[in-house]
């Protein structure tokens, strides 16, 4: 993430990529749905989360600056009973600052169970995590949705803004 007017980096997003020896580069658009169907997405989310925490720890040991990192979490993992507790355990294991972790979910997360989503987001925020809604403007966008769910950041999907300069008055 770059602050354009100052030209400085202020954060990162952890992105899962798979480069298979047999298949070559496999797009996340291909392997994520397969992992979700196979029940492996929670494991992938946790691997990515732990790798980010290891990266934080290494930078700290090397005396380098540590900046916030957004980590995408699948809806299946988000609603898992051990989701928040598992993240807290990992943060404690690596002595990480939860304020440097942005838990990113897609805007459809609240459609599954809005009351449960509110509880989960509140627990995350109360522990110190930041929260982000990704791809806002793609499908279920509603400002009332944003009033119900506590997010510290909204990422508007590029399809929503791509042709904004073409809008006539």
């Amino acid at each position: 993430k770059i602050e354009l007017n100052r030209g400085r980096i202020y954060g990162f997003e952890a992105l899962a990529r798979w480069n298979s020896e047999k298949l070559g580069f496999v797009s996340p658009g291909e392997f994520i749905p397969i992992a979700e169907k196979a029940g492996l997405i929670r494991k992938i989310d946790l691997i990515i989360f732990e790798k980010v925490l290891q990266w934080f720890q290494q930078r700290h040991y090397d005396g380098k600056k540590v900046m916030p990192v957004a980590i995408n979490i699948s809806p299946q993992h988000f609603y898992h009973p051990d989701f928040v507790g598992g993240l807290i355990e990992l943060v404690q294991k690596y002595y990480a600052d939860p304020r440097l972790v942005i838990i990113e979910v897609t805007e459809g997360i609240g459609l599954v169970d809005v009351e449960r989503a509110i509880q989960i987001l509140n627990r995350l925020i109360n522990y110190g995590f930041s929260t982000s809604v990704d791809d806002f403007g793609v499908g279920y966008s509603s400002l009332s949705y944003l009033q119900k769910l506590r997010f510290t950041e909204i990422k508007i999907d590029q399809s929503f803004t791509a042709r904004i300069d073409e809008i006539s008055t």
Side-chain angles (χ1 to χ4, degrees), residues 114-129:
V114 73
E115 292 306 316
R116 180 93 174 102
I118 290 168
Q119 292 171 0
I120 293 167
L121 289 169
N122 285 339
R123 284 185 65 202
L124 291 168
I125 290 168
N126 290 340
Y127 189 74
F129 293 104

Side-chain angles (χ1 to χ4, degrees), residues 45-55 90 93-94:
D45 283 353
L46 288 171
I47 289 169
I48 294 166
F49 194 84
E50 192 159 14
K51 287 204 175 283
V52 167
L53 297 177
Q54 290 168 349
W55 182 76
L90 284 172
K93 175 182 174 182
Y94 289 96

